[in-house]
Structure formats: structure tokens, C-alpha cells
mmCIF file of all heavy atoms in Angstrom:
data_model
loop_
_atom_site.group_PDB
_atom_site.id
_atom_site.type_symbol
_atom_site.label_atom_id
_atom_site.label_comp_id
_atom_site.label_asym_id
_atom_site.label_seq_id
_atom_site.Cartn_x
_atom_site.Cartn_y
_atom_site.Cartn_z
ATOM 1 N N ILE A 277 -2.171 -10.823 46.781
ATOM 2 C CA ILE A 277 -3.494 -11.211 46.273
ATOM 3 C C ILE A 277 -3.375 -12.401 45.323
ATOM 4 O O ILE A 277 -2.301 -12.695 44.800
ATOM 5 C CB ILE A 277 -4.211 -10.066 45.508
ATOM 6 C CG1 ILE A 277 -3.469 -9.736 44.213
ATOM 7 C CG2 ILE A 277 -4.434 -8.858 46.380
ATOM 8 C CD1 ILE A 277 -4.290 -8.931 43.217
ATOM 9 N N VAL A 278 -4.513 -13.031 45.133
ATOM 10 C CA VAL A 278 -4.695 -14.021 44.081
ATOM 11 C C VAL A 278 -5.933 -13.557 43.320
ATOM 12 O O VAL A 278 -6.985 -13.310 43.921
ATOM 13 C CB VAL A 278 -4.933 -15.435 44.653
ATOM 14 C CG1 VAL A 278 -5.280 -16.415 43.558
ATOM 15 C CG2 VAL A 278 -3.710 -15.900 45.430
ATOM 16 N N ALA A 279 -5.788 -13.395 42.016
ATOM 17 C CA ALA A 279 -6.922 -12.942 41.210
ATOM 18 C C ALA A 279 -7.970 -14.053 41.143
ATOM 19 O O ALA A 279 -7.663 -15.179 40.769
ATOM 20 C CB ALA A 279 -6.467 -12.558 39.809
ATOM 21 N N VAL A 280 -9.190 -13.721 41.524
ATOM 22 C CA VAL A 280 -10.299 -14.681 41.471
ATOM 23 C C VAL A 280 -11.013 -14.538 40.132
ATOM 24 O O VAL A 280 -11.371 -15.525 39.499
ATOM 25 C CB VAL A 280 -11.271 -14.442 42.652
ATOM 26 C CG1 VAL A 280 -12.441 -15.405 42.584
ATOM 27 C CG2 VAL A 280 -10.539 -14.570 43.973
ATOM 28 N N VAL A 281 -11.226 -13.319 39.719
ATOM 29 C CA VAL A 281 -11.777 -13.005 38.408
ATOM 30 C C VAL A 281 -10.799 -12.015 37.789
ATOM 31 O O VAL A 281 -10.466 -11.003 38.403
ATOM 32 C CB VAL A 281 -13.185 -12.381 38.509
ATOM 33 C CG1 VAL A 281 -13.690 -11.989 37.143
ATOM 34 C CG2 VAL A 281 -14.148 -13.342 39.188
ATOM 35 N N ASP A 282 -10.337 -12.324 36.585
ATOM 36 C CA ASP A 282 -9.272 -11.536 35.983
ATOM 37 C C ASP A 282 -9.682 -11.076 34.588
ATOM 38 O O ASP A 282 -9.526 -11.800 33.611
ATOM 39 C CB ASP A 282 -8.005 -12.387 35.914
ATOM 40 C CG ASP A 282 -6.780 -11.597 35.548
ATOM 41 O OD1 ASP A 282 -6.917 -10.443 35.071
ATOM 42 O OD2 ASP A 282 -5.664 -12.121 35.735
ATOM 43 N N THR A 283 -10.207 -9.855 34.501
ATOM 44 C CA THR A 283 -10.699 -9.359 33.214
ATOM 45 C C THR A 283 -9.578 -8.950 32.267
ATOM 46 O O THR A 283 -9.830 -8.376 31.219
ATOM 47 C CB THR A 283 -11.692 -8.191 33.399
ATOM 48 O OG1 THR A 283 -11.057 -7.152 34.138
ATOM 49 C CG2 THR A 283 -12.956 -8.660 34.084
ATOM 50 N N ARG A 284 -8.353 -9.282 32.613
ATOM 51 C CA ARG A 284 -7.259 -9.141 31.657
ATOM 52 C C ARG A 284 -7.264 -10.324 30.694
ATOM 53 O O ARG A 284 -6.552 -10.305 29.695
ATOM 54 C CB ARG A 284 -5.913 -9.056 32.394
ATOM 55 C CG ARG A 284 -5.807 -7.830 33.298
ATOM 56 C CD ARG A 284 -4.570 -7.872 34.154
ATOM 57 N NE ARG A 284 -4.638 -8.981 35.101
ATOM 58 C CZ ARG A 284 -3.695 -9.281 35.984
ATOM 59 N NH1 ARG A 284 -2.581 -8.572 36.025
ATOM 60 N NH2 ARG A 284 -3.830 -10.290 36.813
ATOM 61 N N THR A 285 -8.067 -11.339 30.993
ATOM 62 C CA THR A 285 -8.152 -12.522 30.134
ATOM 63 C C THR A 285 -9.469 -12.521 29.365
ATOM 64 O O THR A 285 -10.487 -12.012 29.843
ATOM 65 C CB THR A 285 -8.075 -13.818 30.957
ATOM 66 O OG1 THR A 285 -9.267 -13.948 31.744
ATOM 67 C CG2 THR A 285 -6.845 -13.844 31.863
ATOM 68 N N ALA A 286 -9.438 -13.095 28.171
ATOM 69 C CA ALA A 286 -10.654 -13.186 27.345
ATOM 70 C C ALA A 286 -11.732 -13.992 28.060
ATOM 71 O O ALA A 286 -12.918 -13.649 28.008
ATOM 72 C CB ALA A 286 -10.318 -13.809 25.990
ATOM 73 N N LYS A 287 -11.331 -15.044 28.757
ATOM 74 C CA LYS A 287 -12.295 -15.901 29.473
ATOM 75 C C LYS A 287 -13.076 -15.103 30.511
ATOM 76 O O LYS A 287 -14.306 -15.158 30.559
ATOM 77 C CB LYS A 287 -11.562 -17.061 30.144
ATOM 78 C CG LYS A 287 -12.441 -17.949 30.995
ATOM 79 C CD LYS A 287 -11.590 -18.983 31.750
ATOM 80 C CE LYS A 287 -12.367 -19.689 32.809
ATOM 81 N NZ LYS A 287 -12.579 -18.899 34.022
ATOM 82 N N ASP A 288 -12.389 -14.346 31.319
ATOM 83 C CA ASP A 288 -13.081 -13.591 32.366
ATOM 84 C C ASP A 288 -13.761 -12.334 31.836
ATOM 85 O O ASP A 288 -14.739 -11.865 32.417
ATOM 86 C CB ASP A 288 -12.154 -13.291 33.535
ATOM 87 C CG ASP A 288 -11.958 -14.511 34.443
ATOM 88 O OD1 ASP A 288 -12.692 -15.514 34.271
ATOM 89 O OD2 ASP A 288 -11.080 -14.480 35.317
ATOM 90 N N MET A 289 -13.282 -11.776 30.714
ATOM 91 C CA MET A 289 -14.037 -10.694 30.076
ATOM 92 C C MET A 289 -15.400 -11.234 29.638
ATOM 93 O O MET A 289 -16.416 -10.561 29.785
ATOM 94 C CB MET A 289 -13.287 -10.133 28.860
ATOM 95 C CG MET A 289 -12.342 -9.013 29.192
ATOM 96 S SD MET A 289 -11.811 -8.136 27.718
ATOM 97 C CE MET A 289 -10.330 -9.012 27.309
ATOM 98 N N GLN A 290 -15.399 -12.455 29.123
ATOM 99 C CA GLN A 290 -16.657 -13.090 28.724
ATOM 100 C C GLN A 290 -17.550 -13.286 29.943
ATOM 101 O O GLN A 290 -18.743 -12.985 29.911
ATOM 102 C CB GLN A 290 -16.367 -14.436 28.031
ATOM 103 C CG GLN A 290 -17.598 -15.169 27.557
ATOM 104 C CD GLN A 290 -18.312 -14.451 26.428
ATOM 105 O OE1 GLN A 290 -17.682 -13.892 25.538
ATOM 106 N NE2 GLN A 290 -19.629 -14.440 26.466
ATOM 107 N N THR A 291 -16.988 -13.775 31.034
ATOM 108 C CA THR A 291 -17.750 -14.027 32.260
ATOM 109 C C THR A 291 -18.347 -12.743 32.833
ATOM 110 O O THR A 291 -19.526 -12.685 33.172
ATOM 111 C CB THR A 291 -16.846 -14.691 33.330
ATOM 112 O OG1 THR A 291 -16.355 -15.921 32.805
ATOM 113 C CG2 THR A 291 -17.605 -14.947 34.621
ATOM 114 N N VAL A 292 -17.533 -11.697 32.938
ATOM 115 C CA VAL A 292 -17.958 -10.459 33.585
ATOM 116 C C VAL A 292 -18.785 -9.565 32.665
ATOM 117 O O VAL A 292 -19.824 -9.043 33.063
ATOM 118 C CB VAL A 292 -16.738 -9.679 34.126
ATOM 119 C CG1 VAL A 292 -17.145 -8.319 34.673
ATOM 120 C CG2 VAL A 292 -16.034 -10.496 35.207
ATOM 121 N N TYR A 293 -18.308 -9.387 31.441
ATOM 122 C CA TYR A 293 -18.936 -8.413 30.544
ATOM 123 C C TYR A 293 -19.786 -9.048 29.451
ATOM 124 O O TYR A 293 -20.486 -8.345 28.724
ATOM 125 C CB TYR A 293 -17.875 -7.533 29.871
ATOM 126 C CG TYR A 293 -16.955 -6.837 30.835
ATOM 127 C CD1 TYR A 293 -15.587 -7.058 30.802
ATOM 128 C CD2 TYR A 293 -17.445 -5.947 31.786
ATOM 129 C CE1 TYR A 293 -14.725 -6.419 31.682
ATOM 130 C CE2 TYR A 293 -16.598 -5.306 32.672
ATOM 131 C CZ TYR A 293 -15.240 -5.546 32.615
ATOM 132 O OH TYR A 293 -14.399 -4.913 33.484
ATOM 133 N N GLY A 294 -19.671 -10.354 29.275
ATOM 134 C CA GLY A 294 -20.378 -11.009 28.183
ATOM 135 C C GLY A 294 -19.610 -10.943 26.876
ATOM 136 O O GLY A 294 -20.131 -11.257 25.819
ATOM 137 N N GLY A 295 -18.353 -10.532 26.924
ATOM 138 C CA GLY A 295 -17.507 -10.431 25.735
ATOM 139 C C GLY A 295 -16.435 -9.387 25.933
ATOM 140 O O GLY A 295 -16.134 -9.002 27.063
ATOM 141 N N ALA A 296 -15.898 -8.922 24.841
ATOM 142 C CA ALA A 296 -14.796 -7.958 24.880
ATOM 143 C C ALA A 296 -15.216 -6.659 25.566
ATOM 144 O O ALA A 296 -16.384 -6.276 25.560
ATOM 145 C CB ALA A 296 -14.312 -7.669 23.465
ATOM 146 N N TYR A 297 -14.225 -5.992 26.143
ATOM 147 C CA TYR A 297 -14.423 -4.704 26.797
ATOM 148 C C TYR A 297 -13.329 -3.776 26.303
ATOM 149 O O TYR A 297 -12.145 -4.014 26.553
ATOM 150 C CB TYR A 297 -14.352 -4.861 28.320
ATOM 151 C CG TYR A 297 -14.663 -3.584 29.072
ATOM 152 C CD1 TYR A 297 -15.957 -3.301 29.466
ATOM 153 C CD2 TYR A 297 -13.671 -2.660 29.358
ATOM 154 C CE1 TYR A 297 -16.261 -2.128 30.142
ATOM 155 C CE2 TYR A 297 -13.963 -1.487 30.032
ATOM 156 C CZ TYR A 297 -15.252 -1.234 30.420
ATOM 157 O OH TYR A 297 -15.562 -0.067 31.085
ATOM 158 N N GLY A 298 -13.700 -2.726 25.582
ATOM 159 C CA GLY A 298 -12.730 -1.804 24.995
ATOM 160 C C GLY A 298 -12.240 -0.781 25.999
ATOM 161 O O GLY A 298 -12.766 0.330 26.047
ATOM 162 N N ALA A 299 -11.235 -1.137 26.770
ATOM 163 C CA ALA A 299 -10.736 -0.216 27.789
ATOM 164 C C ALA A 299 -9.775 0.817 27.219
ATOM 165 O O ALA A 299 -9.839 1.985 27.564
ATOM 166 C CB ALA A 299 -10.055 -1.001 28.908
ATOM 167 N N GLY A 300 -8.872 0.403 26.364
ATOM 168 C CA GLY A 300 -7.900 1.322 25.796
ATOM 169 C C GLY A 300 -8.392 1.837 24.453
ATOM 170 O O GLY A 300 -7.958 1.370 23.414
ATOM 171 N N CYS A 301 -9.313 2.757 24.502
ATOM 172 C CA CYS A 301 -9.886 3.273 23.261
ATOM 173 C C CYS A 301 -10.127 4.770 23.416
ATOM 174 O O CYS A 301 -9.901 5.333 24.472
ATOM 175 C CB CYS A 301 -11.175 2.539 22.909
ATOM 176 S SG CYS A 301 -12.433 2.600 24.178
ATOM 177 N N LEU A 302 -10.578 5.386 22.341
ATOM 178 C CA LEU A 302 -10.865 6.815 22.382
ATOM 179 C C LEU A 302 -12.356 7.034 22.597
ATOM 180 O O LEU A 302 -13.171 6.474 21.877
ATOM 181 C CB LEU A 302 -10.459 7.474 21.065
ATOM 182 C CG LEU A 302 -8.979 7.460 20.724
ATOM 183 C CD1 LEU A 302 -8.747 8.015 19.324
ATOM 184 C CD2 LEU A 302 -8.186 8.246 21.747
ATOM 185 N N TYR A 303 -12.680 7.828 23.601
ATOM 186 C CA TYR A 303 -14.051 8.277 23.822
ATOM 187 C C TYR A 303 -14.045 9.766 23.487
ATOM 188 O O TYR A 303 -13.426 10.547 24.201
ATOM 189 C CB TYR A 303 -14.481 8.128 25.284
ATOM 190 C CG TYR A 303 -14.311 6.753 25.884
ATOM 191 C CD1 TYR A 303 -13.237 6.460 26.705
ATOM 192 C CD2 TYR A 303 -15.274 5.774 25.672
ATOM 193 C CE1 TYR A 303 -13.101 5.218 27.288
ATOM 194 C CE2 TYR A 303 -15.150 4.531 26.247
ATOM 195 C CZ TYR A 303 -14.061 4.251 27.053
ATOM 196 O OH TYR A 303 -13.935 3.023 27.636
ATOM 197 N N LEU A 304 -14.702 10.136 22.406
ATOM 198 C CA LEU A 304 -14.686 11.538 21.999
ATOM 199 C C LEU A 304 -16.097 12.057 21.795
ATOM 200 O O LEU A 304 -16.940 11.357 21.235
ATOM 201 C CB LEU A 304 -13.929 11.695 20.668
ATOM 202 C CG LEU A 304 -12.474 11.265 20.660
ATOM 203 C CD1 LEU A 304 -11.926 11.293 19.242
ATOM 204 C CD2 LEU A 304 -11.657 12.178 21.553
ATOM 205 N N PRO A 305 -16.350 13.289 22.203
ATOM 206 C CA PRO A 305 -17.647 13.885 21.877
ATOM 207 C C PRO A 305 -17.801 13.991 20.358
ATOM 208 O O PRO A 305 -16.833 14.284 19.647
ATOM 209 C CB PRO A 305 -17.585 15.276 22.514
ATOM 210 C CG PRO A 305 -16.493 15.191 23.532
ATOM 211 C CD PRO A 305 -15.516 14.181 23.007
ATOM 212 N N ILE A 306 -18.988 13.749 19.880
ATOM 213 C CA ILE A 306 -19.249 13.838 18.444
ATOM 214 C C ILE A 306 -18.821 15.199 17.916
ATOM 215 O O ILE A 306 -18.250 15.310 16.828
ATOM 216 C CB ILE A 306 -20.736 13.566 18.133
ATOM 217 C CG1 ILE A 306 -21.063 12.112 18.444
ATOM 218 C CG2 ILE A 306 -21.070 13.890 16.689
ATOM 219 C CD1 ILE A 306 -22.540 11.785 18.372
ATOM 220 N N GLU A 307 -19.074 16.241 18.700
ATOM 221 C CA GLU A 307 -18.719 17.591 18.271
ATOM 222 C C GLU A 307 -17.220 17.710 18.001
ATOM 223 O O GLU A 307 -16.797 18.404 17.089
ATOM 224 C CB GLU A 307 -19.142 18.625 19.323
ATOM 225 C CG GLU A 307 -20.642 18.708 19.575
ATOM 226 C CD GLU A 307 -21.177 17.538 20.426
ATOM 227 O OE1 GLU A 307 -20.437 17.016 21.293
ATOM 228 O OE2 GLU A 307 -22.323 17.137 20.189
ATOM 229 N N PHE A 308 -16.403 17.049 18.828
ATOM 230 C CA PHE A 308 -14.956 17.094 18.640
ATOM 231 C C PHE A 308 -14.572 16.443 17.317
ATOM 232 O O PHE A 308 -13.773 16.990 16.556
ATOM 233 C CB PHE A 308 -14.238 16.391 19.801
ATOM 234 C CG PHE A 308 -12.737 16.459 19.689
ATOM 235 C CD1 PHE A 308 -12.032 17.478 20.297
ATOM 236 C CD2 PHE A 308 -12.035 15.504 18.967
ATOM 237 C CE1 PHE A 308 -10.646 17.555 20.189
ATOM 238 C CE2 PHE A 308 -10.648 15.574 18.841
ATOM 239 C CZ PHE A 308 -9.958 16.593 19.460
ATOM 240 N N THR A 309 -15.139 15.257 17.042
ATOM 241 C CA THR A 309 -14.784 14.562 15.800
ATOM 242 C C THR A 309 -15.221 15.349 14.571
ATOM 243 O O THR A 309 -14.564 15.295 13.533
ATOM 244 C CB THR A 309 -15.369 13.145 15.747
ATOM 245 O OG1 THR A 309 -16.793 13.194 15.751
ATOM 246 C CG2 THR A 309 -14.876 12.299 16.906
ATOM 247 N N LYS A 310 -16.328 16.072 14.700
ATOM 248 C CA LYS A 310 -16.794 16.907 13.577
ATOM 249 C C LYS A 310 -15.912 18.144 13.404
ATOM 250 O O LYS A 310 -15.585 18.531 12.288
ATOM 251 C CB LYS A 310 -18.247 17.331 13.789
ATOM 252 C CG LYS A 310 -19.227 16.193 13.598
ATOM 253 C CD LYS A 310 -20.654 16.648 13.854
ATOM 254 C CE LYS A 310 -21.621 15.494 13.675
ATOM 255 N NZ LYS A 310 -22.992 15.872 14.009
ATOM 256 N N LYS A 311 -15.537 18.768 14.514
ATOM 257 C CA LYS A 311 -14.745 19.995 14.458
ATOM 258 C C LYS A 311 -13.275 19.715 14.122
ATOM 259 O O LYS A 311 -12.630 20.513 13.446
ATOM 260 C CB LYS A 311 -14.848 20.739 15.795
ATOM 261 C CG LYS A 311 -14.211 22.109 15.777
ATOM 262 C CD LYS A 311 -14.516 22.862 17.063
ATOM 263 C CE LYS A 311 -13.887 24.243 17.049
ATOM 264 N NZ LYS A 311 -14.166 24.991 18.261
ATOM 265 N N TYR A 312 -12.771 18.574 14.607
ATOM 266 C CA TYR A 312 -11.352 18.238 14.436
ATOM 267 C C TYR A 312 -11.172 16.836 13.840
ATOM 268 O O TYR A 312 -10.537 15.982 14.447
ATOM 269 C CB TYR A 312 -10.628 18.319 15.782
ATOM 270 C CG TYR A 312 -10.764 19.641 16.479
ATOM 271 C CD1 TYR A 312 -11.591 19.771 17.587
ATOM 272 C CD2 TYR A 312 -10.068 20.764 16.021
ATOM 273 C CE1 TYR A 312 -11.721 20.992 18.230
ATOM 274 C CE2 TYR A 312 -10.197 21.987 16.660
ATOM 275 C CZ TYR A 312 -11.029 22.089 17.761
ATOM 276 O OH TYR A 312 -11.162 23.299 18.391
ATOM 277 N N PRO A 313 -11.691 16.603 12.652
ATOM 278 C CA PRO A 313 -11.576 15.262 12.071
ATOM 279 C C PRO A 313 -10.124 14.847 11.811
ATOM 280 O O PRO A 313 -9.787 13.668 11.953
ATOM 281 C CB PRO A 313 -12.374 15.348 10.767
ATOM 282 C CG PRO A 313 -12.390 16.800 10.424
ATOM 283 C CD PRO A 313 -12.386 17.527 11.735
ATOM 284 N N ASN A 314 -9.271 15.785 11.449
ATOM 285 C CA ASN A 314 -7.868 15.439 11.192
ATOM 286 C C ASN A 314 -7.145 15.041 12.477
ATOM 287 O O ASN A 314 -6.335 14.113 12.477
ATOM 288 C CB ASN A 314 -7.135 16.589 10.501
ATOM 289 C CG ASN A 314 -7.666 16.842 9.108
ATOM 290 O OD1 ASN A 314 -8.266 15.969 8.479
ATOM 291 N ND2 ASN A 314 -7.453 18.052 8.609
ATOM 292 N N THR A 315 -7.439 15.744 13.561
ATOM 293 C CA THR A 315 -6.847 15.396 14.853
ATOM 294 C C THR A 315 -7.352 14.031 15.307
ATOM 295 O O THR A 315 -6.574 13.191 15.771
ATOM 296 C CB THR A 315 -7.191 16.471 15.911
ATOM 297 O OG1 THR A 315 -6.680 17.722 15.456
ATOM 298 C CG2 THR A 315 -6.610 16.125 17.267
ATOM 299 N N THR A 316 -8.655 13.811 15.153
ATOM 300 C CA THR A 316 -9.232 12.511 15.506
ATOM 301 C C THR A 316 -8.563 11.410 14.700
ATOM 302 O O THR A 316 -8.157 10.380 15.252
ATOM 303 C CB THR A 316 -10.755 12.512 15.265
ATOM 304 O OG1 THR A 316 -11.349 13.555 16.047
ATOM 305 C CG2 THR A 316 -11.369 11.179 15.623
ATOM 306 N N GLN A 317 -8.437 11.617 13.392
ATOM 307 C CA GLN A 317 -7.822 10.609 12.534
ATOM 308 C C GLN A 317 -6.373 10.353 12.926
ATOM 309 O O GLN A 317 -5.913 9.215 12.953
ATOM 310 C CB GLN A 317 -7.911 11.015 11.064
ATOM 311 C CG GLN A 317 -7.509 9.896 10.111
ATOM 312 C CD GLN A 317 -8.451 8.704 10.211
ATOM 313 O OE1 GLN A 317 -9.637 8.830 9.947
ATOM 314 N NE2 GLN A 317 -7.921 7.556 10.603
ATOM 315 N N ALA A 318 -5.647 11.407 13.260
ATOM 316 C CA ALA A 318 -4.242 11.254 13.658
ATOM 317 C C ALA A 318 -4.120 10.416 14.938
ATOM 318 O O ALA A 318 -3.224 9.565 15.048
ATOM 319 C CB ALA A 318 -3.597 12.623 13.854
ATOM 320 N N MET A 319 -5.016 10.636 15.901
ATOM 321 C CA MET A 319 -4.976 9.847 17.141
ATOM 322 C C MET A 319 -5.284 8.378 16.853
ATOM 323 O O MET A 319 -4.618 7.475 17.365
ATOM 324 C CB MET A 319 -5.961 10.411 18.167
ATOM 325 C CG MET A 319 -5.544 11.754 18.725
ATOM 326 S SD MET A 319 -6.579 12.345 20.098
ATOM 327 C CE MET A 319 -8.180 12.529 19.344
ATOM 328 N N VAL A 320 -6.289 8.133 16.023
ATOM 329 C CA VAL A 320 -6.650 6.755 15.679
ATOM 330 C C VAL A 320 -5.526 6.105 14.883
ATOM 331 O O VAL A 320 -5.169 4.942 15.126
ATOM 332 C CB VAL A 320 -7.992 6.707 14.916
ATOM 333 C CG1 VAL A 320 -8.286 5.305 14.407
ATOM 334 C CG2 VAL A 320 -9.125 7.192 15.816
ATOM 335 N N ASN A 321 -4.945 6.833 13.932
ATOM 336 C CA ASN A 321 -3.817 6.296 13.166
ATOM 337 C C ASN A 321 -2.699 5.841 14.100
ATOM 338 O O ASN A 321 -2.116 4.762 13.906
ATOM 339 C CB ASN A 321 -3.271 7.346 12.196
ATOM 340 C CG ASN A 321 -4.174 7.620 11.022
ATOM 341 O OD1 ASN A 321 -5.204 6.967 10.834
ATOM 342 N ND2 ASN A 321 -3.808 8.606 10.225
ATOM 343 N N ALA A 322 -2.385 6.662 15.085
ATOM 344 C CA ALA A 322 -1.321 6.322 16.032
ATOM 345 C C ALA A 322 -1.652 5.044 16.792
ATOM 346 O O ALA A 322 -0.784 4.179 16.982
ATOM 347 C CB ALA A 322 -1.080 7.484 16.993
#
């Protein structure tokens, strides 16, 4: 293949998404963060 649009680059993230796209992040239910704030903090710290 040859990448035509490559969202691994800031330029193409801008083109496709209109800016940054947080792919490697934590998606947590609010209830989890409330019930386990220390666990949430430990994951974010890491």
C-alpha cells in the first residue's frame, strides 16, 4: 500500500478530524472514576 491519508501525522489528523484525535487515552464511565478514584489516578499517572 501507499498511504493516501495518514492520520498518524498531525497534518492528516487536521484534514480528517479537524485537529488532534485522542486515540491512546482512557475512556471510563463516570461511575468508575467516582467509585475507584485511586485506581483511575494510578492509570493516568502511569
Side-chain angles (χ1 to χ4, degrees):
I277 67 163
V278 173
V280 178
V281 176
D282 191 345
T283 57
R284 297 172 294 180
T285 69
K287 176 186 168 283
D288 282 350
M289 271 194 268
Q290 181 67 39
T291 300
V292 174
Y293 305 120
Y297 185 91
C301 57
L302 296 174
Y303 306 101
L304 300 172
I306 293 171
E307 297 76 32
F308 182 93
T309 63
K310 288 178 181 176
K311 188 172 180 180
Y312 304 106
N314 294 338
T315 301
T316 302
Q317 190 64 61
M319 290 188 297
V320 173
N321 288 355

